[in-house]
Amino acid sequence: MSTMTIKPTTPTTRAGRAAQPKRRPDYLGMVARYLVRTLLVVMSMGVLYPLFWMFSSAFKTSAEIFADPWALPNAFSFENYVKAWNQGVVSYFANSLFITAISLAATLLLGAAAAYALTKLHLPFSRTVTFLILGGLMVSPTMILVPLFQLLQTVGLYNTHAGLIIVYVAYRLPFTIFLIRAYMLTLSDEVVEAARIDGANSVQIFLRVILPLCKPVLASAGLVYVLFAWNEFPFALVFLNDADLKTLPVGLLDFKSTLQTDWSVLFAGLAIASLPMIVAFAIGQRYFIRGLSEGMGK
């Protein structure tokens, strides 16, 4: 039996169009849209202009910065960037890159494994363990600086990259587990059961089935973690004392004290420090939004 769809017809004659009720313009909606767009433009300028000012100041001389801080540079020369790179930024950059890469891999792997055990293995007391782990989200870095300092000194990891990596991983695991667990709850248990019927054990299911399905949320968690580790300051300031081991934020603090009169080189160092995060977020923001929306929206 076929069904007939009746489509609304549009009057073709002038009399027919005149007989139709006129639609009143939605002035209130138009005003609201313009207000929202204006607010977004203002917020974007508030974020983008400080970045533009920092990068443009790095092309100036110190005399130009003090003469007219808001003016554009007279000439675009990369001399300040070369000076900053040669005067110590390269070693700080390498330290930050090493610590961020190692701690990122460990945090994602441990966070995904913990989330998998808490959501798909149906272990006893998993709900209680979840609440205990998520309690770590309430811990402030300043509250645990002294206990961690004493602990790292006791085990011989103070002033080492390994000690700072362990602290970073432990501190960010609760949020990472929270994020990945929310996404894994949306995955059907039938996927795990089907893989188990095919003969896969729990480790094989995690590595070959769960991890590939969790790529969006892993990208989101990874991007959030990179932003934290690259810009982290209190832990790196307290737990690293050797100048050769310092990360970029702490190194730039020393950089400032040695270049108090050369602000243009200091701005170049700040620009070099912020550039990787700007590029990372510009490339990964699509995956970041997708992972968060799929993890939190279902």
Side-chain angles (χ1 to χ4, degrees):
M1 181 178 179
S2 62
T3 57
M4 181 180 296
T5 302
I6 301 176
K7 296 182 179 179
T9 57
T10 302
T12 56
T13 62
R14 179 177 299 179
R17 288 194 295 270
Q20 277 197 327
K22 293 184 178 180
R23 296 181 60 185
R24 300 179 59 184
D26 186 7
Y27 295 111
L28 187 60
M30 292 172 59
V31 172
R33 283 194 294 273
Y34 280 116
L35 286 177
V36 169
R37 289 172 184 174
T38 304
L39 180 62
L40 291 176
V41 170
V42 172
M43 293 174 64
S44 301
M45 292 297 295
V47 174
L48 294 177
Y49 187 75
L51 290 174
F52 171 77
W53 184 76
M54 180 182 67
F55 280 99
S56 65
S57 298
F59 289 102
K60 297 180 180 178
T61 63
S62 295
E64 286 181 278
I65 293 174
F66 285 106
D68 192 352
W70 310 113
L72 292 174
N74 294 328
F76 287 91
S77 171
F78 288 92
E79 182 181 355
N80 293 327
Y81 289 93
V82 176
K83 283 184 181 177
W85 188 260
N86 293 331
Q87 291 182 11
V89 170
V90 59
S91 62
Y92 303 142
F93 192 95
N95 290 335
S96 285
L97 188 63
F98 173 76
I99 291 173
T100 301
I102 300 298
S103 57
L104 169 66
T107 302
L108 289 184
L109 183 61
L110 293 176
Y116 168 65
L118 292 173
T119 56
K120 299 302 177 187
L121 296 186
H122 305 292
L123 300 175
F125 307 110
S126 60
R127 186 179 293 272
T128 304
V129 174
T130 301
F131 283 122
L132 290 175
I133 292 175
L134 297 185
L137 293 172
M138 310 299 173
V139 177
S140 169
T142 54
M143 293 173 55
I144 56 177
L145 274 178
V146 175
L148 285 177
F149 178 79
Q150 295 176 340
L151 179 63
L152 291 179
Q153 280 195 323
T154 302
V155 299
L157 290 176
Y158 172 72
N159 199 28
T160 63
H161 282 170
L164 190 62
I165 289 172
I166 292 173
V167 170
Y168 280 2
V169 173
Y171 184 71
R172 295 300 294 185
L173 264 181
F175 178 76
T176 306
I177 293 173
F178 166 74
L179 197 61
I180 300 176
R181 176 181 174 273
Y183 185 85
M184 284 189 182
L185 288 174
T186 66
L187 301 179
S188 174
D189 288 344
E190 294 176 356
V191 176
V192 178
E193 294 171 2
R196 203 176 294 283
I197 292 173
D198 289 339
N201 57 36
S202 297
V203 176
Q204 292 172 330
I205 294 173
F206 172 67
L207 295 176
R208 298 180 181 179
V209 178
I210 298 298
L211 279 185
L213 291 175
C214 291
K215 284 181 181 177
V217 74
L218 290 177
S220 301
L223 189 56
V224 172
Y225 181 83
V226 167
L227 291 175
F228 158 77
W230 190 264
N231 298 315
E232 200 281 330
F233 186 77
F235 290 148
L237 178 65
V238 175
F239 301 146
L240 293 178
N241 192 35
D242 195 336
D244 295 333
L245 299 176
K246 289 183 178 179
T247 58
L248 204 47
V250 181
L252 287 177
L253 182 66
D254 295 342
F255 203 61
K256 174 180 175 299
S257 62
T258 57
L259 295 170
Q260 288 183 355
T261 58
D262 202 348
W263 286 95
S264 56
V265 180
L266 178 60
F267 277 118
L270 294 172
I272 293 173
S274 59
L275 191 59
M277 291 302 97
I278 296 174
V279 174
F281 199 81
I283 295 175
Q285 55 89 19
R286 181 162 57 95
Y287 304 100
F288 174 74
I289 296 173
R290 179 186 170 193
L292 286 183
S293 60
E294 290 187 0
M296 301 299 182
K298 294 181 180 178

